[in-house]
Amino acid sequence: MISKTSPPPLNPEEVSMLTSTIYTAKTSQASLDAAYALTDLLIKSPGFRGLQTYDVLGDIRKAAADKKDGAKREGAMLILGALFERFPPAQPISEVVFLLQNGGIVAPALDALADKGQVVRESAQYALDALFTNLKPESMIVGLLPALSEYLGKRTGKWQGTVGAYELIGRMADKAKMGMGSKDEEKIKEILRESMGKRLAALIPIVESGMHDLKAEVSRQATKTMISLTTLLSNDDVAPRIPLLIKTMQHPSTETLQKAIHALSQTTFVAIVTSPVLALLTPLLERSLNTPTTPQEVLRQTVVVVENLTKLVHDPIEARTFLPKLKPGVQGVKDRASLPEVRELADRAVKVINKAMGEDDGSVAVGQIAPTTTEDVLKVLEKEVKLRGGISGTAGDAEIWLYTKQYTAEMVREDVAMREITRIKSCIGPYLEQIVKDDQAQMVADAVLAHCIEEDHRKFGQPIKEDSSEVEIVNTDFSLAYGGMLLLSHTNLRLLKGHRYGLCGRNGAGKSTLMRSIAEGKLEGFPSKDELKTCFVEHNQGEDADLSILEFCVKDPELASKGRNRISEVLGEVGFTSGPEGRQMQKVGSLSGGWKMKLALARAMLMGADVLLLDEPTNHLDVTNVKWLEEYLKSHTEITSLIVSHDSGFLDEVCTDIYHYENKKLVCYPGNLAAFVRVKPEGKSYYTLSASQVQFKFPNPGLLTGVKSNTRAIIRMTDCLYTYPGASKPSLQNVSCALTLSSRTAIIGANGAGKSTLIKLLTGETIPQAGKVEKHPNLRIGYIKQHALEHVEMHMEKTPNQYLQWRYANGDDREVLMKQTRVLSAEDKAQMEKHIDLKDGKGARRIENLMGRQKWKKSFQYEVKWIGMLPKHNSQISRETLLELGFDKLVQEFDDHEASREGLGFRQLEPKIISKHFEDLGLDPEIANHNEISGLSGGQKVKVVLAGALWNNPHLLVLDEPTNFLDRDSLGGLAVAIRDYKGGVVMISHNEEFVGALCPEQWHVADGRVTHKGHLAVAMDRFEDSRPGSSAASSAVSSATASAVNSGAEDQGDMKFKSKKKKKMTRQQLKEREVRRRLRHIEWLNSPKGTPHPTDSDDDA
């Protein structure tokens, strides 16, 4: 080996001769051959020191600047290319000479790209390409990238050099793109991607300024480079927004900026929001905050995004690069925004920013790990070199050591930051080989490596020894957010083969969002479907309704390879019988919710999934099918399951582990739900119905004209029959039932038995083919369908507040007007064309509309407007006469209008009051006012639907599967609200816990018939606030036990309600009435803001 301290001298004449040949050769190839010869000669003898000893780089700079001799300029670039190509692999310390010492030699090569001679430009490009190819990722980051940034920052070079510099930065970003390379190749890409990402804060302004350059070529290349830089984000959620964000940078305007901010507020963030994401978004957010003309709504969105991005950054210390730019703008919004709500949000954001920057107490946040700095590495490196005799005494080595130690320390810092400890030796030993004494380079590298490993273990702990008997299939760290809502922050998800994990948390915590992200392959670090077959089983009602069940499965692209026979066999296993008359031949559209869920489960079975993602799998399933599902999951020990369910019994039976949302983290607890509650006593809400966490306040339904007893029937079905079109037998037949204001009725039955059909007949959604449905003319019904989201599926672009304003904008509930009993059929339209003769001497006339209604005898009479006649000719016609003449729907429509008008009499359709109404039903006003319905979780959408049904103060609440999508806290709040509600409630639910606590009366639906079971004891001990003798707990039981529906004592004959004329009151009665009204008014004054004023009625005692 050649001695590093005293290399054999090189003949200067030989160097001079080769240099002359390079500059004077007749052909480019001859010049290049001479350049290679010179490079090899330098490497063999003096090494990197020869570059200084023989002033090779000085000669290159002079030749490159020789404007008169093109051959010299070409030769200079060829020497440079040969040096870049062969020196770094042989002696890595040469990188320090090329990139750092005396300002480096990259700038002359970039300037040469503007040379008038094509051969010179090509030679310069060759030199730059050679350098780019032979640098490892750490060298590119620490050496080349600063050199390019410095060149672009000076702005004194030719535009061709600027284009070249931008192109090299773009190539670095492109090289960092993830691909299908080997593990080592992808690791190199990851290092480059992470390191460049950390420097985007400085790079993006440089590249963005080039996008606005007057030279079209520069602008085009800068835009391409910006597109390449955005790939460093490695964030699939931001990726769809990148074209809009780049357009906003390229063509800055108010319109593009507002579109970009809105897009960000509607983005679901799954991958960790790292500094690259902040670097891209900070300039846009800063512009939005500091532009005086930014609308208040855009400011609100901007402030919320700033706050949550600050929370989402993996390391708040990292965020300090960006927060000083955003804080003044947020502070300005806090001080000057016109809307109090926006000022409040800005105040909250300022506090979060202060905390992230460590300004609250001037220290690093608790739990933060202080990053390793270049100075930390330098101390260790200098110490170890000194211990081993220091550097050689060769002339010039002291100067090169100053550059080298800084260069290597920065590379080591990059590897330590990414915990790539194994790469540390390659960043030290090869660079010190030529300058330390007695071959101590590797020993120095080993010592620095040992120190870094010790520090890593101190900060992050020793590696955990895993149980060898368990097979780990997933282990990933990630964050999860939706727009302005932070859901999970830097949490870990680890799944073991065969385990069944229950995912527990409140509505809106992000349970379904997490599973959907996994299913769509968007969760960072989760294996792809090619590696791990994952199937998402959710409530999706979008199937092709016209296909048979078997054909639907056969035509599924993912199931086509299974074959018809195998598909039929699996369908049979879950209950879909085969044969011409079997369930497999039924149309998908005819399935009830429970059978649709079983169809989704059958599809998952056919796919042979490794991981089952089950979102509320027991929703719509009866007891038998829930038991079947439990046995299926427990028997398939090769399948890993991730389950979201609010059925505590199901989770207790099935789960082997519980993942619980705690402070925006996923915490894993071994065992089932009972074991989880023993460890976390606050989890007992999964077993009791409590309103301590979420309180629902149902509005008082108000009085119902003529109904003074809570046990008087207000709606009744008599001998009703209904058959679905195309069905061979009726779904319901000979059904008779009734409900009162005190009803707490549960409808029980197997999937497909006809429970929802019964509800639809009661509420007017469908019309019976035989029998009749009667209801009180002023009865208001609040109805939530089985698939509750149907109520809002046409309004996904609205906020909940806007949806409620739309629904009640005209004083009527628009959903009521869409029912089949309100839609005019061809016969009804023909009826409206008929002429009516009332035998009053005025002849036959056609009814135009009903204008009013008043009490008459024991019923009502209606003011009728005639077509072509003035209002003074209007007539008063009794309800019975109009019904006898066939104007049922006209009367019903007017009754609905009057009922709605009564219910909305004290309701103001104003945003603030609507917000209070949503808050009473457990939905955050911030979400209700500003988040589109499409972005809400299933449970939040159910709360929107519930708020819509209760806005007009209904007397009867009809709930079809109300427990679906609601978490335990919301379930408890709903149960307590139903228990204390002053109106009637009828519900369909398979949740035995919920029904058993609330409903003393049950209607069992089977084989098309309804069987009544009343006087059942309710399990009041399931309420957390229950106690012996509690009036709140026993009110529903006592009223239902005495119900006239059970006894039949009050409900003989037709449903007629007395409407007596008012008698003149005595003076004493007037005084008593005034006292009652005053007491009601005082009670209203003490009630929460937004509570409707009680009706001043004379009907109460």
Side-chain angles (χ1 to χ4, degrees), residues 86-99:
R86 298 192 175 183
F87 244 108
Q91 295 187 9
I93 195 172
S94 62
E95 295 171 12
V96 177
V97 180
F98 296 147
L99 299 172

Side-chain angles (χ1 to χ4, degrees), residues 849-1097:
N849 211 343
L850 301 183
M851 306 303 294
R853 187 185 71 179
Q854 64 184 29
K855 296 176 182 178
W856 184 71
K857 295 184 179 180
K858 295 181 180 181
S859 181
F860 293 99
Q861 62 180 5
Y862 297 81
E863 181 182 354
V864 177
K865 170 75 169 62
W866 305 101
I867 290 180
M869 301 183 70
L870 295 174
K872 66 180 181 179
H873 298 295
N874 290 359
S875 305
Q876 298 288 342
I877 305 178
S878 70
R879 177 185 180 85
E880 289 72 20
T881 302
L882 286 170
L883 295 178
E884 186 181 332
L885 291 171
F887 293 99
D888 308 56
K889 289 187 178 177
L890 194 64
V891 171
Q892 185 64 64
E893 182 184 350
F894 193 84
D895 286 344
D896 288 338
H897 174 73
E898 287 296 296
S900 186
R901 186 178 61 82
E902 280 190 11
L904 298 173
F906 299 100
R907 287 285 199 188
Q908 295 179 354
L909 207 61
E910 296 178 357
K912 284 188 178 180
I913 296 176
I914 294 174
S915 296
K916 179 64 172 64
H917 180 64
F918 278 115
E919 189 175 11
D920 288 344
L921 292 169
L923 190 66
D924 187 341
E926 168 71 15
I927 294 173
N929 292 339
H930 303 295
N931 287 48
E932 294 178 2
I933 293 174
S934 60
L936 304 185
S937 69
Q940 290 168 330
K941 288 175 183 173
V942 170
K943 291 177 183 178
V944 172
V945 173
L946 190 61
L950 289 168
W951 177 254
N952 65 347
N953 306 323
H955 301 103
L956 181 66
L957 199 54
V958 181
L959 307 172
D960 196 345
E961 301 278 12
T963 59
N964 291 350
F965 301 108
L966 291 180
D967 58 18
R968 288 296 305 183
D969 291 337
S970 298
L971 197 64
L974 178 63
V976 172
I978 290 175
R979 184 192 68 185
D980 299 339
Y981 183 48
K982 303 300 183 185
V985 179
V986 57
M987 69 177 75
I988 295 173
S989 179
H990 295 304
N991 190 322
E992 188 278 331
E993 173 193 22
F994 192 73
V995 168
L998 290 170
C999 301
E1001 182 180 4
Q1002 296 181 0
W1003 299 350
H1004 288 258
V1005 183
D1007 299 323
R1009 299 183 182 276
V1010 179
T1011 306
H1012 300 266
K1013 294 184 180 181
H1015 305 280
L1016 300 178
V1018 293
M1020 298 308 297
D1021 59 332
R1022 292 178 182 172
F1023 287 99
E1024 190 178 51
D1025 62 353
S1026 63
R1027 55 189 184 278
S1030 168
S1031 59
S1034 58
S1035 60
V1037 183
S1038 60
S1039 63
T1041 302
S1043 173
V1045 173
N1046 298 324
S1047 66
E1050 297 185 22
D1051 294 325
Q1052 304 302 318
D1054 295 332
M1055 290 187 68
K1056 294 183 178 178
F1057 301 90
K1058 294 181 181 179
S1059 301
K1060 294 181 180 180
K1061 292 183 178 179
K1062 291 182 181 179
K1063 293 182 180 179
K1064 187 174 182 181
M1065 301 175 73
T1066 64
R1067 186 175 298 176
Q1068 182 62 27
Q1069 288 173 330
L1070 288 171
K1071 286 183 178 179
E1072 291 173 352
R1073 184 184 71 177
E1074 189 59 34
V1075 169
R1076 290 196 302 272
R1077 290 184 174 181
R1078 187 163 60 251
L1079 289 174
R1080 278 199 299 268
H1081 184 69
I1082 292 172
E1083 183 181 358
W1084 174 74
L1085 288 175
N1086 292 327
S1087 64
K1089 188 177 180 181
T1091 303
H1093 195 290
T1095 307
D1096 282 333
S1097 171

